[in-house]
Amino acid sequence: MNIRDSLYHTESTTRLSELTLLYQFSNTMLSTIRLNKLTHLILTAITTPSSNLFERSILFLRNEKSNVLQGMLAVTRQLSEGLQIIGGHDALGSRWEISDDIISRQRSAEFCLQVRLTRIEIDDSCPLIHQIVSDRGLCRSNDILCQNCPTCHSIKPLCGGEFAAVPLVARDSTIGMLVVDNPETTCEISIDSLQFLQLFANQAGMAIENSMLYSRIEDAHLNLRDARERLLHGERLGAIGEMAASLAHELKNPLITIGGFAGRLLKSLPSETREHQYADTIVSEVSRLEKMLAEILAFSRKPTICFSSCDLEEIIQDCLTSCVTMFEDHTIRTSFSPEAGVWTVSGDAHQLKQVFLNLILNSCDAMPEGGELVLTLKKEPLEGKSVIVSVEDTGGGIPKEMTAQIFNPFFTTKHHGTGLGLAIVNRIILNHFGSIETHNTDHGAVFTITLPLAGYTGT
Ligand SMILES: Nc1ncnc2c1ncn2[C@@H]1O[C@H](COP(=O)(O)OP(=O)(O)O)[C@@H](O)[C@H]1O
Ligand SMILES: [Mg+2]
């Protein structure tokens, strides 16, 4: 073979291997949808020893919102050997594959971590950025005029010597940039390999864009599925609620009759007899059922509010007074310390009383062995337009995994609970233009209610 033939042969071999790479890339794109894997495959393919193109490759993706090129991934030749070729060496049918182990090793390599911390401002006055983002053309570090602007400064520490950059273009806009260099051998980056890189980058840009679109569609799909499930859940709850309400309505009258007659029996039976004990059990169970029915009916009733001026301090004091015997029975110490001031809110006194009674009852339920219940009343510190009421107990608090559910109707952890107390509380507070939150302390739960003071309501 003479020199001309030999040169021709080398040239053909190079072109063939480049074409093979491009084919393999197209096949890879068809089978790789996940962005993460795709980017590893792209960078590994151009740094792998068999392609013999570059020693390192770095990927930046454009963030439109913050107007920066964000470092996403870097692959060095040492970590690019794990590229597998699936489907033999038939260029038309083969594709690349990479193991999860190599992906995680590439991702946790020190150079990659350094790249991921790099953000390059998209400043059009920098020739490099102008060339990549606006002109959508490739450039070599030696050809660009400036190497000292802040933009070039961000790339310099990554690529000590000569480097080249190509834009990743999709739908007529630059979505990112590929940077390559040869730090080990310091071989010059040839025009040939750069032209190939440009071809490769055009495909890579489209593949990355498709993959990003796919993950956006997948996110939207997941959101839709969540929304649909929430809707179905809501519908199911609505149906259960309706059934519960009609049942409660049907049960109310006979229950009153049973309770009334059981009470009469109780009075007429001599105490200390077994019959007296039975009647006593009927009376207390009926009264428990009546309370439960009242909660179900309160929840199912259409909320109508009779707004008037209510003194919140007086309402809370009333609630505490009506629970005194319960506090004594449970050895619960209580304290109520309102800050000095006028605590008038525009609302429905009866419903607001229901709110605090429910919270107090829950706290008592949480402290069967006794404890401490502390209520406070203070002004919201920033604008002073709202009042903040807190109800704090020492009942051990609410398990973290349940906090999201406690305001859902029918959620209860109690043997005889209806799970409607907090749902009613929440609805009343929302109807009063307020909000309710809860958190745990070292000893128990705190419920914090914020209500607009009279004059600041949205009514
Ligand atoms: N102060 C509290 N301490 C601990 N858990 C609470 C407290 N208040 C409410 N919970 C939890 O929230 C659940 C729902 O309360 P609620 O809606 O009032 O229904 P119920 O009292 O019928 O169970 C309770 O079953 C309980 O698990
Ligand atoms: Mg309750």
Side-chain angles (χ1 to χ4, degrees):
M1 204 188 289
N2 61 30
I3 295 181
R4 240 184 73 199
D5 285 350
S6 158
L7 277 175
Y8 180 72
H9 179 72
T10 320
E11 169 87 12
S12 307
T13 317
T14 313
R15 291 282 165 265
L16 185 68
S17 94
E18 286 176 359
L19 267 175
T20 309
L21 266 181
L22 288 175
Y23 257 110
Q24 285 170 338
F25 186 22
S26 322
N27 293 337
T28 306
M29 265 168 46
L30 293 176
S31 61
T32 313
I33 294 167
R34 302 256 163 242
L35 182 64
N36 186 30
K37 189 169 185 179
L38 187 75
T39 53
H40 280 269
L41 283 168
I42 290 171
L43 297 202
T44 310
I46 50 173
T47 43
T48 191
S50 61
S51 69
N52 197 26
L53 285 163
F54 312 103
E55 288 167 17
R56 289 195 308 194
S57 52
I58 307 171
L59 170 73
F60 290 89
L61 285 182
R62 183 177 187 174
N63 184 330
E64 295 275 359
K65 273 195 205 135
S66 48
N67 202 35
V68 294
L69 286 167
Q70 169 72 53
M72 301 301 290
L73 181 66
V75 171
T76 58
R77 184 153 285 180
Q78 290 95 318
L79 285 171
S80 67
E81 286 178 7
L83 190 77
Q84 301 153 25
I85 294 170
I86 308 279
H89 285 275
D90 161 25
L92 295 180
S94 59
R95 64 178 172 86
W96 306 320
E97 190 49 83
I98 192 166
S99 71
D100 289 345
D101 176 48
I102 299 280
I103 287 183
S104 76
R105 277 170 53 203
Q106 287 180 340
R107 198 150 273 262
S108 52
E110 201 177 316
F111 182 57
C112 181
L113 296 176
Q114 192 188 345
V115 163
R116 288 171 66 81
L117 292 176
T118 309
R119 287 157 68 89
I120 302 171
E121 252 339 279
I122 300 183
D123 171 7
D124 211 39
S125 64
C126 161
L128 174 97
I129 290 295
H130 183 81
Q131 177 85 345
I132 295 282
V133 178
S134 306
D135 290 353
R136 301 199 283 275
L138 60 86
C139 60
R140 283 193 296 191
S141 56
N142 292 349
D143 303 337
I144 45 180
L145 304 172
C146 125
Q147 291 195 34
N148 292 320
C149 76
T151 309
C152 296
H153 256 294
S154 328
I155 306 182
K156 262 191 158 181
L158 300 176
C159 312
E162 187 199 352
F163 66 87
V166 285
L168 293 170
V169 179
R171 288 186 297 159
D172 277 343
S173 119
T174 299
I175 61 156
M177 163 172 87
L178 268 181
V179 175
V180 290
D181 67 353
N182 295 325
E184 297 284 324
T185 55
T186 61
C187 275
E188 196 187 330
I189 297 171
S190 67
I191 289 286
D192 270 2
S193 58
L194 267 187
Q195 276 170 350
F196 171 73
L197 185 65
Q198 177 78 79
L199 268 179
F200 186 82
N202 287 345
Q203 287 210 36
M206 278 311 298
I208 289 175
E209 171 83 350
N210 285 343
S211 183
M212 289 197 293
L213 281 176
Y214 175 81
S215 58
R216 251 176 260 150
I217 290 174
E218 205 175 40
D219 282 352
H221 174 73
L222 283 180
N223 286 343
L224 259 168
R225 206 179 60 185
D226 277 0
R228 187 173 155 266
E229 262 165 29
R230 272 201 305 274
L231 217 80
L232 275 177
H233 185 63
E235 261 176 30
R236 242 178 274 139
L237 279 182
I240 295 173
E242 247 173 59
M243 193 187 74
S246 61
L247 254 177
H249 200 75
E250 286 300 315
L251 290 175
K252 207 173 122 198
N253 290 339
L255 212 57
I256 290 172
T257 319
I258 296 170
F261 284 128
R264 278 200 215 170
L265 266 178
L266 189 68
K267 276 187 202 143
S268 66
L269 287 166
S271 51
E272 309 300 329
T273 61
R274 204 182 270 182
E275 287 72 17
H276 184 276
Q277 220 178 359
Y278 293 158
D280 191 33
T281 310
I282 297 174
V283 168
S284 64
E285 285 297 293
V286 165
S287 110
R288 192 174 64 77
L289 285 175
E290 269 175 341
K291 265 190 224 148
M292 207 183 248
L293 290 188
E295 270 196 358
I296 294 175
L297 287 172
F299 183 71
S300 59
R301 216 171 282 133
K302 268 217 159 93
T304 42
I305 307 178
C306 306
F307 281 98
S308 65
S309 280
C310 315
D311 181 347
L312 216 51
E313 184 175 344
E314 202 179 293
I315 289 176
I316 294 173
Q317 198 60 65
D318 273 2
C319 294
L320 288 170
T321 311
S322 58
C323 296
V324 164
T325 44
M326 187 175 60
F327 296 143
E328 282 170 6
D329 291 349
H330 286 76
T331 53
I332 290 171
R333 276 167 292 142
T334 60
S335 86
F336 176 40
S337 41
E339 275 181 3
V342 180
W343 304 109
T344 315
V345 295
S346 172
D348 187 316
H350 174 71
Q351 291 191 19
L352 289 174
K353 203 167 167 183
Q354 230 183 320
V355 165
F356 298 107
L357 275 177
N358 268 316
L359 294 183
I360 293 170
L361 285 177
N362 277 347
S363 287
C364 289
D365 286 344
M367 302 187 286
E369 309 289 322
E372 205 164 333
L373 179 71
V374 178
L375 285 99
T376 62
L377 239 182
K378 61 179 187 217
K379 230 177 209 169
E380 174 266 320
L382 281 181
E383 294 188 60
K385 292 181 179 175
S386 309
V387 47
I388 300 176
V389 191
S390 72
V391 182
E392 180 175 348
D393 61 48
T394 56
I398 299 157
K400 218 173 173 190
E401 65 279 6
M402 283 181 197
T403 36
Q405 289 161 281
I406 57 169
F407 292 102
N408 287 348
F410 306 112
F411 176 82
T412 182
T413 53
K414 298 171 197 169
H415 192 53
H416 292 304
T418 56
L420 289 174
L422 288 179
I424 293 172
V425 166
N426 191 33
R427 194 163 69 184
I428 295 176
I429 294 297
L430 288 180
N431 286 340
H432 281 76
F433 310 100
S435 61
I436 179 164
E437 301 175 353
T438 178
H439 69 269
N440 284 341
T441 61
D442 288 345
H443 306 288
V446 189
F447 282 83
T448 314
I449 289 175
T450 308
L451 282 170
L453 281 163
Y456 300 111
T457 328
T459 49

